[in-house]
Amino acid sequence: MAFAMQFTNAWNQPATIQSVEVVDPAKNYKASGKSQVLSIKEASVTGMVKLSSLPCYFSKIAGGESGVMFFDVTYADSNEVPCAIALRVHAVQPENKHLPESTAVSPPLKVGTRAAIILSAPFKADGWMDANGCCLEIGPHRFVTNPMNGTLDPSEQFAIDWIKVDGQGKAFRTDGKRSEDWLCYGVDVLAGRGRHSGGSDA
């Protein structure tokens, strides 16, 4: 399950997120699945927030600051996917004498049961590589969260940049400075129909 959640520190003092767990409300809020996400540099950013003011990941959120945390929750068996999940967040605010440490649990979030859509190949022939797509890595597409109608919209979450490579793993001829040097240049994009397969989405 690939999704993102907005975190906001409503206090006027900084807060540090120490842990975030995906839990199952139907099983007494027991931890559910395994979540791991990586930055484009392949560094773990699991449980960290991409602040609105900076294109970086942090565990510490300043007072009044907001950001987005990404999740990629996996299960060994699709039958283990719960009907709903929640987030259990543990944070510390040493400067807040009234509440220096806290644990909060979000309201249940319904998990979609609609079967995932599997699309046919967008190009002919082989040698095509997903150079930038969902989900483990938070690349330039999934990184995007635009304000839309009063909410943050992860409109590029499942976008993919396809690149064609040859038998040696090269994506272009010569130095690749010209568009026509790239092996994918001028290739027709196919408009195929999708089909449904078993699975869940959040």
Side-chain angles (χ1 to χ4, degrees):
M1 295 187 293
F3 61 98
M5 294 293 292
Q6 182 177 0
F7 281 69
T8 300
N9 179 6
W11 291 82
N12 61 355
Q13 294 149 343
T16 299
I17 297 174
Q18 291 197 321
S19 66
V20 178
E21 293 180 287
V22 177
V23 297
D24 185 349
K27 295 184 177 180
N28 199 27
Y29 292 89
K30 180 181 178 181
S32 180
K34 179 181 179 182
S35 181
Q36 182 182 20
V37 287
L38 305 175
S39 72
I40 196 170
K41 296 182 179 180
E42 297 188 356
S44 176
V45 292
T46 307
M48 301 178 72
V49 174
K50 179 181 78 68
L51 297 180
S52 303
S53 58
L54 294 170
C56 303
Y57 297 89
F58 298 90
S59 295
K60 189 174 184 178
I61 307 176
E65 180 66 280
S66 180
V68 174
M69 183 180 293
F70 297 93
F71 296 84
D72 187 14
V73 186
T74 58
Y75 295 85
D77 189 323
S78 61
N79 293 322
E80 298 177 3
V81 180
C83 296
I85 59 172
L87 299 181
R88 182 163 53 223
V89 183
H90 181 69
V92 294
Q93 291 180 295
E95 299 178 30
N96 185 346
K97 297 179 180 179
H98 301 287
L99 193 66
E101 187 172 352
S102 63
T103 299
V105 179
S106 75
L109 307 167
K110 186 178 180 181
V111 176
T113 57
R114 186 177 62 181
I117 297 175
I118 299 178
L119 301 176
S120 58
F123 309 104
K124 291 182 178 180
D126 55 11
W128 292 95
M129 181 183 75
D130 175 0
N132 174 29
C134 188
C135 288
L136 174 63
E137 180 182 281
I138 312 301
H141 280 306
R142 194 177 176 193
F143 191 86
V144 175
T145 47
N146 293 315
M148 189 73 67
N149 296 327
T151 63
L152 288 180
D153 179 31
S155 55
E156 298 183 30
Q157 179 167 248
F158 299 110
I160 296 175
D161 289 333
W162 293 101
I163 292 181
K164 185 175 177 60
V165 296
D166 60 19
Q168 287 71 46
K170 295 181 179 180
F172 48 81
R173 310 173 187 89
T174 65
D175 56 9
K177 292 183 178 181
R178 300 181 308 166
S179 298
E180 53 266 35
D181 290 336
W182 288 77
L183 301 181
C184 58
Y185 180 78
V187 175
D188 292 334
V189 178
L190 306 179
R193 292 180 298 176
R195 63 184 179 85
H196 287 275
S197 175
S200 299
D201 60 283

